[in-house]
Amino acid sequence: MDIRKRSRLAAHSQRAPRCPWMEAMAAGLCVAGFAEGGLPDIAANGHEAWYCAPGDVAGLETLLRRALADPAATAELGRRARERVLAYTWERTARETVDLCLRLGAA
């Protein structure tokens, strides 16, 4: 069984690329970690994820304690995270890439 199906929280204490965050978000998990590795680019702090300053171990501990103490808030962040990440489709990526190329070509 996929561990994400039994979880409600994904945490990472090191710089992680976007993919692990996006996979956790797509699974409907609340994500908590440091504000690096792409997380701030894909999720709003306190709305779709919880994150703190890079290297702030006490801050990360606070976030994890909050997530464990408030299952309803954790579930809601997971729900919003899933909505957010599902907006990142290949069609959208292609459209934005073409738009960027057209803008660069017009410059």
Side-chain angles (χ1 to χ4, degrees):
M1 175 185 251
D2 187 342
I3 193 168
R4 290 173 294 191
K5 293 180 180 176
R6 295 181 286 142
S7 304
R8 11 170 248 218
L9 172 68
H12 208 291
S13 62
Q14 297 177 341
R15 184 178 179 96
R18 289 182 191 170
C19 279
W21 291 124
M22 293 180 85
E23 289 173 5
M25 292 169 70
L29 300 179
C30 172
V31 298
F34 295 129
E36 61 182 355
L39 183 56
D41 297 328
I42 59 171
N45 194 14
H47 186 71
E48 295 138 350
W50 283 323
Y51 45 87
C52 59
D56 181 1
V57 176
L60 182 58
E61 178 184 3
T62 299
L63 296 175
L64 296 175
R65 289 184 184 278
R66 178 190 309 168
L68 295 173
D70 192 346
T74 300
E76 179 59 20
L77 251 68
R79 185 193 65 74
R80 289 193 302 251
R82 180 172 166 76
E83 284 180 8
R84 170 74 172 180
V85 80
L86 290 180
Y88 289 98
T89 64
W90 284 113
E91 181 180 331
R92 175 183 169 181
T93 301
R95 184 177 60 249
E96 290 177 357
T97 302
V98 168
D99 290 346
L100 175 63
C101 289
L102 292 173
R103 285 195 311 272
L104 293 174

